[in-house]
Every structure is written in C-alpha cells, then in structure tokens.
C-alpha cells in the first residue's frame, strides 16, 4: 500500500459521531486523507494508515431480525422502545430482558431440547426471506454511512445458540457426550446454512463490509470447553461461515466474552479476522503473540482522570510506540473507548499517522 504522509491540516475536526451509549463521549471526526472505511479495511489487512478506534465503523442491527429485538440490541433508523425488549427470537425461543444486566436471557425452566438428537424433530428454522429486507434497506438508507465500515452485530452464533435450545448445562454436556455429538455437528451445519443465507441478504440489502458474530466461549476465569472440543465440534461449521464471508470480500469479526487467551489459536483456525477481548484478558500479550494473524482489540493503559495534557499526550505516545508495528494491527478495545480523552485521541491519531505514513 502506498504511504500517505501526515499533514497537520488533518487534525481539523469536521464533525462528531455520538457515543454508542448515552454516557459515552462523542468521537471527533478529523479531516482524514482517506475514508474511515478505507482505514478500517487497511487495519484488517494489517497495513494500518492510522490507529483505528471507533470512528471508522458503524453497526447496523435491523429490527427485521427477531433476535435483535429479543436480545434488545436493535441499531437502525427505528430505535427500540423499552417495552419491546425481549420476546421470541428467529427460532421461537422466548427471551426475557434483565434490567440489571442491560441484556436478555432465555426464559428459564423449559428448554426446547433435552437431548441434541431431538433437534430435527423440534427445531423450526426461520424463513429468512419472509423478513422485510427491502423495507429495511429503504428505511435505513439515510441511517447507514457507507463512508464508514458497515458491520452488523449478529445474534447468535453456535454454542450460544445451542445454549438457547438446551440451557447451559444441557449444551455443555452435548458437546462432549458421544451419543449427542453427531447431532450437534449436524445442527451446527444447518445453522451455518441459515447464517450464510442471512449474511447474503445483509450484503444485498444493506451493503455491509463485514459482520460480527456473537458466540461467548468462556467465563471470567476460563473457557467453557477445551480448544480440542471447539476444534472438533464448533470450528468446522463456523469456518464455513467465515469462508463464505471472505469469499464475498468481507471481513469476519468474532465477539466472544470470557477469559479466552487459550482459545485464540482456535479463533484463528476458525477464520476470524479480528476479536475484541474482555478486560480480564491480557490484550497487550495477545497483540504481541498473535497480532500478525488476528487483529486484537487492545486495552489502553489506565489514565488518571486528572492527568495533564502533557501526560495524556505521553500516554498516547506510549500506545503508538507499543502497538503501531509493521505487519500487525490493533483496534482500541470497545471496553476502553470511554477512557479516551479528546487530547489522547488527537495525539493517538497524529502520532500513528506520522508513524504509518513514513
């Protein structure tokens, strides 16, 4: 990629993007030399133009997908009302919104499956074409900014979907029970078919650039299962989806909560281009060890709220020095976005542009 030398004129703020949550500060938009979308793609290719944060991408979670309402994460031109949170997902599973968690969980007590071998008899797959894709495209035409990297946050992946059908204890047992494993694999392959169908509609109607798939694999302390179990039970169907995403010229981002340092080689083998770890993971180590193979969401070092402008600029300089390396790329971790001050952001952009522009 041709290097683009930095100009101080780029620091002119031309607009601002509101924070994703009301408590999050807005993000300044500078007079970039290329579009934010181009910068995001360059980072995915591990040829960064500057240190990407959250200004370069835009989430789209249309309400036409039942899971987005059930799980209380609609992001489109028609905001979700509080009384709409929860309800049935695309498979008819009932979700309840939990206020304290600001998210939904499956209504407890009556799992659809007691044994994975029942799935063909009991699971009704959604009619994806019945969703109003064309109407969603029209209503979101002005909402979607194609100057940014457009990326849906897809609910829900493979293991999490199994949990929704069987509850957690049933799902975790089904992964290792020899009498259920073949059924689980067949179910995951069928899920992959459905997810690919949904992705193709996203491409056709919303013009996406990548997709995030949500599939939590661990607790605060450790993964739920071993890398070998994931490789045997989840990766084959999952890689069909990431291979399809790549074949369409898009990028595949994994959202997976938990302490998952042990699982990063599995994520890479499953075809993921990027992953934003939760804060219990050592994101600095993960960048050092795997940053040439997967784009890691890195947590900035804590910054004193009373830090002087000089100290903020010095912190940004340390970040650029550590995480702006040839052949690697990082994003600023979503969980660290709220710690970024305007001064830190400006210096982060300026110094990373200088470094990557040389």
């Amino acid at each position: 990629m041709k290097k683009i030398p930095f100009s101080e004129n780029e620091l002119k703020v031309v607009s601002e993007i509101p924070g994703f949550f009301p408590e999050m500060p807005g993000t300044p938009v500078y007079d970039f030399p290329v579009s934010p979308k181009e910068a995001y793609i360059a980072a995915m290719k591990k040829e960064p133009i500057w240190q990407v944060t959250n200004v370069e991408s835009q989430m789209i979670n249309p309400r036409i997908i039942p899971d987005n309402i059930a799980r209380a994460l609609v992001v489109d031109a028609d905001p979700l009302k509080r009384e709409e949170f929860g309800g049935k997902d695309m498979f008819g599973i009932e979700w309840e919104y939990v206020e304290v968690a600001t998210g939904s969980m499956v209504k407890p007590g009556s799992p659809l499956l007691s044994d994975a071998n029942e799935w063909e008899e009991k699971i009704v797959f959604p009619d994806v074409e019945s969703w109003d894709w064309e109407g969603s495209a029209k209503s979101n035409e002005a909402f979607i900014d194609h100057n940014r990297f457009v990326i849906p946050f897809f609910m829900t992946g493979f293991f999490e979907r199994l949990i929704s059908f069987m509850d957690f204890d049933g799902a975790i047992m089904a992964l290792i029970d020899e009498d259920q494993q073949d059924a689980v694999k067949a179910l995951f392959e069928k899920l992959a078919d459905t997810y690919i169908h949904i992705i193709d509609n996203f491409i056709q109607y919303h013009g996406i650039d990548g997709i995030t798939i949500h599939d939590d694999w661990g607790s605060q302390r450790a993964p739920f299962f071993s890398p070998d179990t994931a490789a045997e039970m989840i990766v084959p169907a999952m890689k069909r989806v990431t291979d399809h995403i790549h074949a369409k010229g898009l990028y595949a981002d994994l959202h997976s909560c938990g302490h998952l340092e042990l699982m990063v080689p599995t994520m890479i083998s499953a075809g993921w281009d990027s992953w934003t770890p939760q804060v219990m993971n050592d994101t600095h180590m993960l960048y050092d060890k795997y940053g040439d193979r997967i784009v890691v969401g890195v947590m900035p070092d804590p910054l004193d709220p009373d830090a002087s402008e000089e100290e903020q600029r010095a912190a940004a300089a340390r970040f650029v020095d550590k995480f702006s390396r040839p052949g690697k790329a990082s994003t600023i971790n979503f969980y660290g976005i709220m710690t970024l001050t305007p001064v830190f952001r400006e210096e982060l952009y300026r110094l990373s542009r200088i470094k990557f522009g040389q």
Side-chain angles (χ1 to χ4, degrees), residues 123-177:
I123 294 177
V124 178
F125 278 74
D127 179 3
V128 174
E129 293 303 318
S130 70
W131 303 341
D132 187 10
W133 291 98
E134 188 171 349
S136 179
K138 289 179 180 177
S139 65
N140 286 295
E141 189 172 358
F143 175 81
I144 297 175
D145 179 6
H146 288 288
N147 197 48
R148 299 165 70 192
F149 186 92
V150 179
I151 182 166
F153 191 84
F154 181 75
M155 304 278 194
T156 299
F158 293 88
F159 181 61
E160 280 198 31
R161 188 70 71 183
L162 190 64
I163 294 172
S164 75
F165 294 144
M166 304 188 72
D167 288 349
F168 183 84
D169 53 348
I172 203 70
M173 284 300 299
L175 289 184
I176 59 174
D177 179 0

Side-chain angles (χ1 to χ4, degrees), residues 10-51:
E10 296 174 26
L11 294 175
K12 177 184 176 183
V13 177
V14 296
S15 63
E16 181 178 274
I17 295 173
F20 183 74
F21 297 115
E23 64 272 19
M24 288 181 69
T27 303
V29 177
Y30 301 120
D31 193 7
F32 299 127
V34 301
S35 71
K37 173 179 174 177
E38 290 174 89
Y40 195 98
I41 291 173
M44 292 298 104
K45 292 180 176 178
K46 304 177 185 65
E47 299 174 346
I49 301 171
W50 66 77
Q51 174 62 56

Side-chain angles (χ1 to χ4, degrees), residues 185-197:
K185 292 175 185 177
L187 170 58
F188 285 172
E189 290 294 331
K190 181 69 171 178
L191 287 174
D193 292 338
T194 300
Y195 296 165
I196 287 169
H197 192 180

Side-chain angles (χ1 to χ4, degrees), residues 44 151 210-212 242 245-246 250-254 271-274:
M44 292 298 104
I151 182 166
I211 188 161
T212 298
T242 59
I245 292 168
H246 294 146
L250 309 183
Y251 294 88
D253 174 67
L254 177 66
W272 298 104
D273 297 301
S274 56

Side-chain angles (χ1 to χ4, degrees), residues 303-320:
L303 187 63
D304 190 322
D306 298 321
S308 67
E309 179 175 329
E310 182 180 1
E311 289 169 330
Q312 293 174 54
R313 293 190 185 277
R318 289 193 297 272
F319 190 97
V320 171

